[in-house]
Structures are given as C-alpha cells and as structure tokens.
Amino acid sequence: MPACLPARRFAAAGLLALTMTVAAPLSSLPLGLQPAHAAEKGVFFPESFTLSNGMQVVVIPNHRVPVVTHMVWYKVGAADEERGQSGIAHFLEHLMFKGTDAIQPGEFSRIIAKNGGRDNAFTSYDYTAYYQNVARDRLEMVMRMESDRMANLKLTDAVVYPERDVIIEERRQRIENEPADRIGEQINATLFVHHPYGTPVIGWPQEMSALTREMAERFYKTWYTPNNAILVVSGDVTAAELKPLAERYYGAIPARPVPERKRVTEPPLTSSRQVVLRDAEVRQPSVRRIWVAPSYRLDQNSQAYALQVLAEIMSGGTTSRLYRSLVVDQKLATSAWLGYGPTAWDMATLSVGASPAAGVPMDKLESALWAEVDTLLKSGVTEEEVATARKRMLASAAYARDSLTGPAQTLGAALATGQSIDDVESWPVRIDAVTADQVNAAARAVLSQTNHVTGLLLPPTGKDS
C-alpha cells in the first residue's frame, strides 16, 4: 500500500536527516573516519549520468550485500497541484499501482513480494517517489516494471473511484482521528496563508471527494515524464553496469515538455498567531512554535548550515540545551526540541516545542521554553558548543554511508528540490566551516521574526496540566 507524507518533517541533521537519527560517539568512529577526515568533501561518493531524454541517473555503489534500492523521484508534489484539486498528487501515487496493459492492478507489489523484495511510495510537497528494495539479480525486473508505469499507466473508473474512497479513509485514520496530526495541519495552514505549503499533502476533505479520473490522468501526463524524473539506485551495482539497463528501459521513453514550477509567494505578515486544539483523545499535551526559515535553494544569506548546527546544539540528544534545561534540570518536560529541515523547493520552517512532565501546568512549561529562546537570542551560543555540535554531525555523516536506502533518499530529495550532487557531497565541508557568529546571526534572523505561529495541543478544559 503506498504511503503519503501528510505533514512537513523537521530534523536537526538537515540534509542528512533521512539517513541519521543519533550521532555516533566520536571514539567509536573507525580509523580514517575521524572528524578531521570526515570534514573533507564527500558523503556518498555517487556516480551520475544523464540519458538522452533528459532523465538524471545517480548510482551509489555499496557492495557489502547483493541488494539494491531502486528509486524513481518525480519533481512534482502537492505544492504543484492546481488550486481546488488538493490531494491529486497523493491520489496519483496510489493510482500508479493500478496497472498497465502489461501488469494488472495490484500485481506490481505482489510481483515484488514474490521475488523477495519490498516496495512503497510517498508524496511530499515538492516530490513524489517510488522505491523497491530487491536482490541485485532482480534489478532489471524492477526497472522494466517501473519504466512501464512511467509511460503506460492505465486508469479506468473501476479502479480510480474505489481508490478515492481509500485515500478519504486514510485521511480519517491518519489525520482526523489523530489530534497531533490535526493541529499540525492547522498550524501549517495558519503559517502559510497563501502558499500551497499551507494545504495538506493528503488534501482537504471536500476537495478529495471531488477528485476525478480525468484530473489524475491530466496530472500524470503533465508531470510524469523522464525529463522530470531522477533515477537513484543504491547498492551492489556500478554506473557502468546500470547504464545499459537505464538506457534500455527509461531511455526509450520520449521526453515531454514540463511546466515551470510556479508557486505563489507569501504576503508580508508581521503578526503572531495561535492555534489551540482541545480534544478528549489528547494523552500528551504539547506546545510548539514555528517560524518560516530559509531552505537550501532560497538561502540567500547562507543560513541553512548554521541553522542545522543550531538545531544540533539545542536539540541533539540528552546533552542538548533544551533537554538538559527543561527535562533534566528543571524537570518541567518529558521532551523538548528545536527542529529545522532545509530540504524544500520554497521556504523551510524551524520549530521549537516541548511536552510537559506529569503535573506541570502548560503555562509554566511555556514560560520556561520561551525563556530558553530568549536566552539564545540574547546570549547566543559559544564556539565550544558549535565545535562539539560539528563533531557529532560529521561523525554521523561518516556512518550515513553504511545505509542502503538512506543515501538514495537523501540524494533524491536534494536533487528534486533544486540541489546538486556537489551540494550534497560538500555538506561536511560546509558544516565544518560554521562559526558561532554565523549560528547566532542565523538564529536571531529567524527567531526574531514576529509572524510565527504557536500551537497548543491540550486535553479538554481544566485538564491541561
């Protein structure tokens, strides 16, 4: 069953967040991967070429096991939908599993499973991706099937409209029945009042129920073409081995003109806003505040790397500022975080949040959390904090190479949102060059904005402590 990404994701590790969760201890790094060496250019060391029809191909060799991850990324997502058709990108993601003349509806995933593999797909604001994890000797089979549905998807009313019911039910289960997801949706819609990032990836319910086969076919024929796609293969294969297969299956598909990505811009807002959701299903209250921040692509003042270091200082594990202060020392929270994800075609976001410990009133937690933000703005971070954060991040970058799927996800997301392979491979060098002054300047530029949105997730009135 395909799966969407219904909300914006935040991660302290920035570009490499898809491959790393916890920084490795420096002492455990293998020789040759100590931070002094990790700061040299290079993370995944991919190979790349472009087919004659314009399709970019990236290969990330990893010969430890005879397995590959095969991913096709389309440079189109929910933010590219026509106004009034929210959810069509995610709907089409589901419909891509409904077959061609060569493969019957539902057979794609069954064939993958019969061959010992796993497959899935996901939709975000800026891209849609399809992936399979299979044994190396099944790679050609996967490429034949994936290229077939790139060019020959067959949609009928009999398969389209029952699947529309499926995505409507998915929204009920994943959004409407989950208070944390509901408030997240409302926070996004309040932060982005005009830009499509304020519309949920899965769609608004009244528009989802009006989606048609004709809309899906038009979206497919507009955006699903090889010159708007990126093939990323990670695992036991080289570019020399993959190129003939890529040319045979994907290279045979003709290119088509693709519309320019035209996104509206946000109006100039200066007022802060608050969203409060009280629900009997809330078991863990929380507070969060979210600001618009620069993405990699729109980072005119070179703040993206500094903000990633800031996130590591404030939220990078149990020794981070927020956890140490609010959870360990003051014992006011069970969790506290500062999250930032710069991988987006347009604006990114930075968020700060916490959940109260048992018996702690929400207003007391809020006061302590905003006091930490004020301290950061007034006093900044130190060079020692920055140096320690850089070391942890570079250590994690070294271990990111061990993953099979993670590098394909990282490179695919980066390329689909306007970055280059060189940008990805330069990440360690750019992180290692970040200074305390740069972190403090970036923090003040973002956190001093007054057009933020604060969200409060609470149980029913009188039970918020």
Side-chain angles (χ1 to χ4, degrees):
M1 173 65 68
C4 70
L5 294 178
R8 296 180 68 82
R9 305 275 180 131
F10 308 104
L15 173 64
L16 300 176
L18 289 166
T19 59
M20 304 177 297
T21 53
V22 180
L26 299 181
S27 60
S28 69
L29 278 174
L31 291 177
L33 290 181
Q34 295 293 332
H37 297 278
E40 296 175 358
K41 182 177 177 180
V43 181
F44 304 121
F45 303 97
E47 303 170 310
S48 182
F49 56 89
T50 301
L51 301 178
S52 59
N53 58 13
M55 185 175 186
Q56 185 176 8
V57 182
V58 180
V59 184
I60 311 165
N62 183 338
H63 303 294
R64 298 182 183 188
V65 291
V67 177
V68 294
T69 291
H70 172 277
M71 302 191 78
V72 171
W73 296 74
Y74 292 95
K75 291 182 279 188
V76 62
D80 300 298
E81 297 165 339
E82 292 183 30
R83 192 169 182 85
Q85 297 183 19
S86 65
I88 192 66
H90 170 246
F91 188 26
L92 179 59
E93 175 214 311
H94 278 241
L95 295 175
M96 285 288 282
F97 291 83
K98 295 306 176 183
T100 64
D101 287 336
I103 299 175
Q104 293 302 304
E107 277 297 305
F108 191 104
S109 294
R110 285 194 284 270
I111 292 170
I112 298 296
K114 286 178 182 178
N115 283 272
R118 295 189 303 112
D119 77 310
N120 216 316
F122 51 88
T123 305
S124 187
Y125 284 105
D126 299 314
Y127 48 75
T128 310
Y130 302 82
Y131 69 90
Q132 301 84 30
N133 295 329
V134 293
R136 186 188 188 282
D137 62 1
R138 301 297 192 274
L139 176 59
E140 183 172 1
M141 175 195 75
V142 166
M143 296 177 73
R144 180 176 63 251
M145 293 167 59
E146 190 66 77
S147 62
D148 177 42
R149 68 176 175 180
M150 174 185 282
N152 303 309
L153 182 65
K154 185 177 181 180
L155 298 180
T156 65
D157 289 355
V159 299
V160 168
Y161 293 107
E163 196 64 28
R164 186 177 66 183
D165 294 336
V166 170
I167 63 168
I168 291 171
E169 180 60 26
E170 180 183 348
R171 179 184 165 82
R172 291 194 188 103
Q173 293 181 4
R174 298 186 64 175
I175 306 295
E176 294 167 14
N177 290 339
E178 296 291 339
D181 289 325
R182 277 166 44 214
I183 193 171
E185 183 177 87
Q186 295 299 316
I187 289 171
N188 273 356
T190 306
L191 182 68
F192 295 107
V193 299
H194 191 46
H195 191 277
Y197 285 168
T199 299
V201 170
I202 200 168
W204 295 118
Q206 76 280 9
E207 293 181 354
M208 294 171 68
S209 62
L211 297 177
T212 66
R213 175 178 58 80
E214 290 80 9
M215 292 176 185
E217 288 176 334
R218 185 165 61 250
F219 197 84
Y220 172 72
K221 293 175 181 178
T222 299
W223 297 103
Y224 278 49
T225 178
N227 48 307
N228 197 45
I230 306 157
L231 171 63
V232 184
V233 180
S234 172
D236 190 21
V237 66
T238 65
E241 293 169 325
L242 187 72
K243 190 172 184 179
L245 295 175
E247 290 174 337
R248 181 184 310 163
Y249 294 109
Y250 293 104
I253 303 172
R256 294 195 308 272
V258 178
E260 180 185 355
R261 276 181 153 172
K262 293 182 179 179
R263 306 272 182 83
V264 296
T265 57
E266 282 290 284
L269 300 176
T270 57
S271 62
S272 62
R273 289 145 287 166
Q274 185 179 74
V275 176
V276 180
L277 175 61
R278 290 185 178 271
D279 193 287
E281 296 298 318
V282 173
R283 298 292 178 263
Q284 179 60 66
S286 65
V287 57
R288 73 178 99 165
R289 181 169 290 174
I290 184 169
W291 293 260
V292 173
S295 66
Y296 280 127
R297 195 179 76 88
L298 302 182
D299 187 18
Q300 296 179 348
N301 297 314
S302 302
Q303 296 174 343
Y305 297 93
L307 289 173
Q308 290 171 71
V309 175
L310 172 68
E312 181 67 27
I313 292 169
M314 299 298 292
S315 191
T318 57
T319 61
S320 65
R321 274 199 187 190
L322 290 177
Y323 189 92
R324 189 175 65 246
S325 175
L326 298 178
V327 179
V328 178
D329 295 341
Q330 300 183 62
K331 296 181 171 53
L332 296 175
T334 58
S335 63
W337 67 90
L338 185 152
Y340 167 64
T343 305
W345 183 259
D346 290 322
M347 305 82 69
T349 56
L350 184 148
S351 65
V352 176
S355 292
V360 174
M362 183 60 78
D363 57 354
K364 185 174 183 179
L365 175 62
E366 282 190 78
S367 296
L369 180 60
W370 309 142
E372 291 295 326
V373 175
D374 289 341
T375 298
L376 171 63
L377 293 175
K378 292 174 183 176
S379 303
V381 301
T382 67
E383 286 289 358
E384 182 180 1
E385 287 179 308
V386 170
T388 301
R390 290 195 313 249
K391 288 178 182 178
R392 286 201 301 263
M393 296 169 77
L394 294 175
S396 292
Y399 277 110
R401 303 167 194 164
D402 294 338
S403 171
L404 182 67
T405 301
Q409 292 177 322
T410 299
L411 275 162
L415 295 173
T417 53
Q419 289 194 276
S420 66
I421 290 176
D422 185 69
D423 290 329
V424 177
E425 293 298 279
S426 298
W427 188 88
V429 175
R430 295 177 182 179
I431 287 295
D432 198 46
V434 171
T435 67
D437 286 344
Q438 290 172 328
V439 173
N440 291 329
R444 288 164 184 153
V446 174
L447 296 172
S448 294
Q449 296 176 109
T450 58
N451 60 346
H452 52 70
V453 175
T454 303
L456 288 167
L457 180 64
L458 303 170
T461 303
K463 300 179 180 180
D464 56 337
S465 62

